[in-house]
Structures are given as C-alpha cells and as structure tokens.
Amino acid sequence: MPQSGPALLLINPWIYDFAAYDFFARPLGLLQLAGLLESRGYTVHWLDCLGTAHARPGPFGTGRYPKEIIPAPPALQGISRRYGRYGISEAAFRERLSAVPRPAAILVTSLMTYWYPGVAAAIRLAREQFPGVPVILGGIYATLCPEHARRHSGADRLMSGPGEAAILGLLEEITGYHPPLPALAVQEDPDSLPYPALHLLEYPSYIPLLTSWGCPLDCTYCASRLLQPVYRRRQPLAVVEELLHWQDHLGLTDAAFYDDALLLSAADHLLVILAELARRGRTFRFHTPNGLHARLITREVARGLKRAHFATLRLGVETTALGRASLDHKLNPGELEAALNHLRAAGFSSAEIGVYLLIGLPDQDEAELITSIRRVQQLGATPVLALYSPIPGTALWPRAQACSRYDLNADPLFHNNSLFPCWPEFSWERYTRLKRLAAR
Ligand code: B12
Ligand code: SF4
C-alpha cells in the first residue's frame, strides 16, 4: 500500500547497562508494528539507537555494541563495574531526529525492565525536538512495570501487552486517519500480520524470526504468560515464505528464532519448515539464542536441526542441579541426557551445544550449581551461565523480593541480572570461579 498516511516516528531506545552484547538481538516487537503500520499506509520513520555497526563483530552477524561510559544512576552507585550507554551517540541521535519531519505520533518500544533509563532518555530528547507530539510507550518494560513506566518514562500513553490491534485503534483516535483495510484478525490468524519491517534496519545481519507466540508452560521465573497470554503459532509454510522473502530481499543467511516454545509439535511445525526449505533448495544458518526445550529434542528433531545447519544451539535447562524440578516445568530427570545423546548422535559437537544454567535464583545452592555444571560437561555439552533477572508478576517474584538485598519493588534497576539481586552471598570471586568452571 502506498505510504500517504500520517507520519510516525518509531524509536528503539538505547541500552543502559553494565554489559550488553548483540547476541541476535533485534527489536522485533517494534519492527512488527512498523510492518503493520506501513501496510496500513502510515509513513514510518525509524530511529534505532542500536542501529549502528558493531564495535567488534562476532560470528553470524552478532557483535559488540559501541559503548559510552556514563555515570551509573544513584541507585547503582558503588557497583564496581562500568555503566554505559550502548548504541549510537547522543549527538547521532539528535542528528537523526532532526532529519525526521514532525510526526503525528512517536512510538517507543522497551525491552528489559532495567533498561528503562534508555527509554526515558530517548523520550526526553524526542520531546525536545517535537514538543506537543504524543509519545506512546509499549513493549516488555511497559507491560511488566506499567506503574513505574507511567511515572518515570515521560510517555503520554502507555500500552501493555501485544500491540498490533491496540496501536491501530489508538492511532486512529490520535490522527483521525482511517486505513482503508479491514480490522486485524491476528488472534484468529497470526499469518494475517504483515512481515516485520526488517528493510528498515540500517545493519541487517540476521533475520529475527517468530514462528509462534507464547508458551503453554508456566515456569515460576518466567514472564512469557504475562507478555503473551495465549499460545499461537503460524502456518509452517508462511514461515518459509517469510524466510525466503528476507533472503531474497536482504541477502541474509543467518536467522535467529525468538520463539519461547519452538519445538512444540515439531513434526508438524519446525520440521515441516525445515523440510520445505530443503525441498526448495534454500540454505540458511539457524540460531536459537532463546533456548530450546530439551525434552522435545527427539532423534528426528536432532537430525532435522543438524541437516538444516543449526549453528548456535542453546538448550534451556535453567534449573539448578539437574533433577530439582520445582521451578522449571519443562524437564524431567533423564530428559536432558536423552536430548544430548540425540544431538551428539546427529553430529553436533560439545562446543556447539550450549546448555543454559540459570544462576542467581532465590535459595539456590552453590554446590548444586557446581554439580550441574559438571554434569552438563560430562554429558558432552557446554554449560552457559544465564544470570537470573527477577520479574514482577511471576510466581517467583515474592520469594525474589524476600531474599534480595535490594528493594526490588522500588526500582526496576534492581532487576538487572548483573547485580545478582537474589543471591545474598554474591561476590565477583564466586561468580568468576563458576564461570571458569563452566568454561573448562
Ligand atoms: C528473544 C528474547 C531474547 C533475545 C533477544 C532480545 C532482544 N530483542 O534484544 C536474547 C536471546 C538475546 C535475549 C536475552 C536476554 N533476555 Co530475553 N527474551 C526474549 C523473549 C523470548 C522474546 C522478546 C521478543 O522479541 N518478543 C517478540 C516481540 C514481537 O514481542 P515484544 O517485543 O514483546 O513486542 C510486542 C509487545 O511488547 C508490543 N510492543 C513492543 N513495542 C511496542 C511499542 C509500542 C508503542 C506499542 C504500542 C507496543 C509495543 O507489541 C509487540 C508486538 O505484539 C522474551 C520473552 C517473551 N516471551 O517476550 C525474553 C525476555 C525479554 N528476556 C528476558 C531476559 C531475562 C533475558 C536475559 C537477561 C537472559 C539472560 N539471563 O541472559 C538476556 C539479556 C539480554 C542482554 N543483556 O543483552 C526476560 C526479561 C527480564 C526483564 N527483567 O525485563 C524475558 C521477559 C524472558 C523471561 N525471563 O521471562 N532475550
Ligand atoms: S518453558 Fe521457557 S518460555 Fe515456557 S514458561 Fe518455561 S521458561 Fe518460560
């Protein structure tokens, strides 16, 4: 559809943190909205604070973001690590802003709850440039910490949860523009959504991809249900078309799945996608930075992954000593062993199979963790320590609050996994020891 409707500015804010790396991280939610809004005729201006060349490129299109050291916010003073703003410089942000004509509305996304200072900074600067233009904030922080976001982000309107249907209604209200297309039917047919607008990315180096939304499980530390209450998935052939579209238009080979539950009913979903790509003679290199359910890795799945060139494999074990099943609803004893056997038999090397072990959980026993690290190594895989970030609204939140040395309710900055907020006896020496053990 020709873009003759009102102009909108879409902003992906900076990351403010102690550490951040582009490990297949693209603002897929905002890209999704951009694709939808373009399809409805809006003129979309894209301002991505992370849209810059990597300071140090890594494999498969990943890499280090440029970082500018800045003073840590008062709540984080005294942490002996260097806080910083990741992404483009503030001057580059202002310059990009000044090239945008005055929009009818500004849409800002948000990701990790503890990255909100980047959200607030981007909104402040956008307001300076465009006084009086309504600013709408959505995304993960806005959904998980709505009250905080209302008070501290500087946005005029806050939208929680999936944004597709809601944003069309709100923009009609703000702009008075009525796109000449029927209402969205995403709940009934997820494939009625246009593709995310990856063509707007300045440095596209891989395809971020969703084949399903949500997860039918409900692990106590996870926010999946709060963010996507209904599990839905796309038609496999529609996913194939999207992959081919981006390969043809952007020349990309690497693709990263963002699904929470990619392997559910793999025989009539993922394996169909992979088989169809093979039938059409099209080659990709796939990555699963968000973790796969080990329980669902059968012999057929493992072979399918290998044939289709899965290069970055992460399994979400995320529990402590393999077998303590109280937090994690997705793994029974023996299932990790079976999954790793299948992967090894399919030809994956130890280095290629990363197993996320969630560390820093409330009441986690360090000895248990050491046992888990060793066990994963014995099983021929690589333990990857994933630091726990407490999330409001999850079943584990009350316990997280009770055992944290920070007032988690007072400020989402304390959700930062780099602080080990729920590990009372945390020390860098202990963490370094565990990291060394995992790297052995
Ligand atoms: C993919 C993913 C990743 C990817 C990349 C994420 C990225 N783009 O940067 C990777 C694997 C790198 C990653 C890493 C981590 N992640 Co992560 N990740 C996710 C996941 C599974 C999906 C996010 C996503 O892209 N969804 C798809 C898009 C389409 O949805 P969306 O962004 O929510 O957008 C929709 C709405 O929010 C809304 N919307 C969005 N923007 C806007 C704007 C406006 C104006 C409006 C109206 C609406 C709107 O509409 C969109 C379309 O419906 C979420 C869980 C989940 N199910 O959401 C966890 C999640 C965000 N991650 C989480 C965590 C803990 C982490 C890690 C810390 C894990 C670890 N221990 O290492 C790291 C930290 C990353 C870092 N420091 O760099 C937590 C959040 C914690 C927190 N406190 O905020 C989550 C919620 C998972 C959980 N544990 O429950 N993650
Ligand atoms: S299986 Fe993964 S996505 Fe699903 S609830 Fe558990 S941690 Fe969240």
Coordinates of all heavy atoms in Angstrom, one line a residue, residues 101-134:
P101 N 10.7 14.7 9.6 CA 9.7 15.7 9.7 C 8.8 15.5 10.9 O 8.7 14.4 11.4 CB 8.9 15.5 8.4 CG 9.2 14.1 7.9 CD 10.5 13.7 8.5
R102 N 8.1 16.6 11.3 CA 7.3 16.5 12.6 C 6.2 15.4 12.4 O 5.4 15.4 11.5 CB 6.6 17.8 12.8 CG 5.9 17.9 14.1 CD 5.2 19.3 14.3 NE 4.3 19.2 15.4 CZ 4.6 19.4 16.7 NH1 5.8 19.6 17.0 NH2 3.6 19.3 17.6
P103 N 6.3 14.3 13.3 CA 5.4 13.2 13.1 C 4.0 13.5 13.8 O 4.0 14.4 14.7 CB 6.1 12.0 13.8 CG 7.0 12.7 14.8 CD 7.3 14.1 14.3
A104 N 3.0 12.6 13.5 CA 1.7 12.8 14.2 C 1.8 12.1 15.6 O 1.0 12.4 16.5 CB 0.7 12.1 13.3
A105 N 2.7 11.1 15.7 CA 2.9 10.4 17.0 C 4.2 9.8 17.0 O 4.8 9.5 16.0 CB 1.8 9.4 17.2
I106 N 4.7 9.6 18.2 CA 6.0 8.9 18.4 C 5.8 7.6 19.2 O 5.2 7.6 20.2 CB 7.0 9.8 19.2 CG1 7.2 11.1 18.4 CG2 8.3 9.1 19.5 CD1 8.0 12.2 19.2
L107 N 6.3 6.5 18.6 CA 6.1 5.2 19.3 C 7.4 4.7 19.8 O 8.4 4.6 19.0 CB 5.5 4.2 18.2 CG 4.0 4.2 18.0 CD1 3.6 5.5 17.4 CD2 3.6 3.1 17.0
V108 N 7.5 4.3 21.0 CA 8.7 3.9 21.6 C 8.6 2.5 22.2 O 7.6 2.2 22.8 CB 9.2 4.9 22.7 CG1 10.5 4.5 23.3 CG2 9.2 6.3 22.2
T109 N 9.5 1.6 21.9 CA 9.5 0.3 22.4 C 10.3 0.2 23.7 O 11.1 1.1 24.0 CB 9.9 -0.8 21.4 OG1 9.5 -2.1 21.9 CG2 11.4 -0.7 21.2
S110 N 10.2 -0.9 24.4 CA 11.1 -1.2 25.6 C 11.3 -2.6 25.7 O 10.5 -3.5 25.3 CB 10.4 -0.6 26.8 OG 9.1 -1.3 27.0
L111 N 12.5 -3.0 26.2 CA 12.8 -4.4 26.4 C 13.0 -4.7 27.9 O 12.0 -4.7 28.6 CB 14.0 -4.8 25.6 CG 13.5 -5.5 24.2 CD1 14.3 -5.0 23.1 CD2 13.6 -7.0 24.3
M112 N 14.2 -5.0 28.3 CA 14.4 -5.4 29.7 C 13.9 -4.3 30.6 O 14.2 -3.1 30.4 CB 15.9 -5.6 30.0 CG 16.6 -6.6 29.1 SD 15.9 -8.3 29.2 CE 16.1 -8.8 27.6
T113 N 13.3 -4.7 31.7 CA 12.8 -3.7 32.7 C 13.9 -2.7 33.2 O 13.6 -1.5 33.3 CB 12.1 -4.4 33.9 OG1 13.1 -5.3 34.5 CG2 10.9 -5.2 33.5
Y114 N 15.1 -3.3 33.4 CA 16.1 -2.5 34.0 C 16.8 -1.6 32.9 O 17.8 -0.9 33.3 CB 17.1 -3.3 34.7 CG 17.6 -4.6 34.0 CD1 18.6 -4.5 33.1 CD2 16.9 -5.8 34.1 CE1 19.0 -5.7 32.4 CE2 17.3 -6.9 33.4 CZ 18.3 -6.9 32.6 OH 18.7 -8.0 31.9
W115 N 16.4 -1.6 31.7 CA 16.9 -0.7 30.7 C 16.1 0.6 30.6 O 16.3 1.3 29.6 CB 17.0 -1.4 29.3 CG 18.0 -2.5 29.2 CD1 19.0 -2.8 30.1 CD2 18.1 -3.5 28.1 NE1 19.7 -3.9 29.6 CE2 19.2 -4.3 28.4 CE3 17.4 -3.7 26.9 CZ2 19.6 -5.4 27.6 CZ3 17.8 -4.7 26.1 CH2 18.9 -5.6 26.4
Y116 N 15.2 0.8 31.5 CA 14.3 2.0 31.3 C 15.0 3.3 31.3 O 14.5 4.3 30.6 CB 13.2 2.0 32.4 CG 13.7 2.4 33.8 CD1 13.8 3.8 34.1 CD2 14.0 1.5 34.8 CE1 14.2 4.2 35.3 CE2 14.5 1.9 36.0 CZ 14.5 3.3 36.3 OH 15.0 3.7 37.5
P117 N 16.2 3.5 31.8 CA 16.8 4.8 31.7 C 17.1 5.2 30.2 O 17.0 6.3 29.8 CB 18.2 4.7 32.4 CG 17.9 3.6 33.4 CD 17.0 2.6 32.8
G118 N 17.3 4.2 29.4 CA 17.5 4.4 27.9 C 16.2 4.9 27.3 O 16.1 5.7 26.4
V119 N 15.1 4.3 27.8 CA 13.7 4.6 27.3 C 13.5 6.1 27.6 O 13.0 6.9 26.8 CB 12.7 3.7 27.9 CG1 11.3 4.2 27.6 CG2 12.9 2.3 27.5
A120 N 13.7 6.4 28.9 CA 13.4 7.8 29.4 C 14.3 8.8 28.6 O 13.8 9.9 28.3 CB 13.6 7.8 30.9
A121 N 15.5 8.5 28.4 CA 16.4 9.4 27.7 C 15.9 9.7 26.3 O 15.9 10.8 25.8 CB 17.8 8.9 27.7
A122 N 15.6 8.6 25.6 CA 15.1 8.7 24.2 C 13.8 9.6 24.1 O 13.7 10.4 23.3 CB 14.9 7.4 23.6
I123 N 13.0 9.3 25.1 CA 11.7 10.1 25.1 C 12.0 11.6 25.4 O 11.4 12.4 24.7 CB 10.7 9.5 26.1 CG1 10.3 8.1 25.6 CG2 9.5 10.4 26.3 CD1 9.3 7.3 26.5
R124 N 12.8 11.8 26.3 CA 13.1 13.2 26.7 C 13.7 14.0 25.4 O 13.2 15.1 25.1 CB 14.2 13.2 27.8 CG 14.5 14.6 28.3 CD 15.4 14.6 29.6 NE 16.6 13.7 29.4 CZ 17.7 13.9 28.7 NH1 17.8 15.1 28.1 NH2 18.6 13.1 28.6
L125 N 14.6 13.4 24.7 CA 15.2 14.1 23.6 C 14.2 14.2 22.4 O 14.1 15.2 21.7 CB 16.4 13.3 23.1 CG 17.6 13.3 24.0 CD1 18.7 12.4 23.5 CD2 18.1 14.7 24.3
A126 N 13.3 13.2 22.2 CA 12.3 13.3 21.2 C 11.3 14.4 21.5 O 10.9 15.1 20.6 CB 11.6 11.9 21.0
R127 N 11.0 14.5 22.7 CA 10.1 15.6 23.2 C 10.6 17.0 22.9 O 10.0 17.9 22.5 CB 9.8 15.4 24.7 CG 8.7 14.5 25.0 CD 8.3 14.7 26.4 NE 7.2 13.8 26.7 CZ 6.0 13.9 26.2 NH1 5.7 14.8 25.3 NH2 5.1 13.0 26.6
E128 N 11.9 17.1 23.2 CA 12.6 18.4 23.0 C 12.5 18.8 21.5 O 12.2 19.9 21.2 CB 14.1 18.3 23.3 CG 14.4 18.5 24.8 CD 15.9 18.2 25.1 OE1 16.8 18.5 24.2 OE2 16.2 17.7 26.2
Q129 N 12.7 17.8 20.6 CA 12.6 18.1 19.2 C 11.2 18.3 18.7 O 11.0 19.1 17.8 CB 13.3 16.9 18.5 CG 13.3 16.9 16.9 CD 14.3 18.0 16.4 OE1 15.2 18.4 17.1 NE2 14.1 18.4 15.2
F130 N 10.3 17.5 19.3 CA 8.9 17.6 18.8 C 7.9 17.9 19.9 O 7.1 17.0 20.3 CB 8.5 16.3 18.1 CG 9.3 15.9 16.9 CD1 10.2 14.8 16.9 CD2 9.3 16.7 15.8 CE1 10.9 14.5 15.8 CE2 10.1 16.4 14.7 CZ 10.9 15.3 14.7
P131 N 8.0 19.1 20.5 CA 7.1 19.3 21.6 C 5.6 19.2 21.2 O 5.3 19.6 20.0 CB 7.4 20.8 22.0 CG 8.2 21.4 20.9 CD 8.8 20.2 20.1
G132 N 4.8 18.6 22.0 CA 3.4 18.5 21.7 C 3.0 17.3 21.0 O 1.8 17.0 20.9
V133 N 4.0 16.6 20.4 CA 3.6 15.3 19.7 C 3.4 14.2 20.7 O 4.3 14.0 21.6 CB 4.8 14.9 18.7 CG1 4.5 13.6 18.1 CG2 4.9 16.0 17.6
P134 N 2.3 13.5 20.7 CA 2.1 12.4 21.7 C 3.1 11.3 21.6 O 3.4 10.8 20.5 CB 0.7 11.9 21.4 CG 0.3 12.5 20.1 CD 1.2 13.6 19.7

